[in-house]
Amino acid sequence: MNEHEEILKERAKVYGDFTTSLGTIGKIWTALIEAHYQIKLDHDIPPHLAGTIMAGLKLYRMTCPFEPSPDSYPDLINYVNAAKNADPRLNGEKK
């Protein structure tokens, strides 16, 4: 098991299944966007998009001038892999 797989396994013990967590994050973000803009989105932000956005956040944090976290690269790998695995376009599903 490599470093990012170990981190994913340990975090799953605390936070649960990664794809399920990204789905929940997408629902929360959808609710926040709808409330802020007083709009109704056609659907919730899907897990693969939540994972992609989280990867973008990790990339931003990696460019900040403070000392990076030692798990920054494994976290980035895990976000990208989760987004890929949850993307219905890559899994023969409809959006």
Side-chain angles (χ1 to χ4, degrees), residues 34-53:
E34 289 177 342
H36 180 78
Y37 291 105
Q38 298 291 299
I39 61 171
K40 178 68 178 148
L41 298 177
D42 292 336
H43 50 79
D44 291 335
I45 294 170
H48 73 280
L49 183 54
T52 302
I53 295 167

Side-chain angles (χ1 to χ4, degrees), residues 3 6 30 36 64 76:
E3 181 182 15
E6 289 177 22
T30 299
H36 180 78
C64 290
L76 178 61

Side-chain angles (χ1 to χ4, degrees), residues 1 18 48:
M1 185 177 302
F18 202 18
H48 73 280

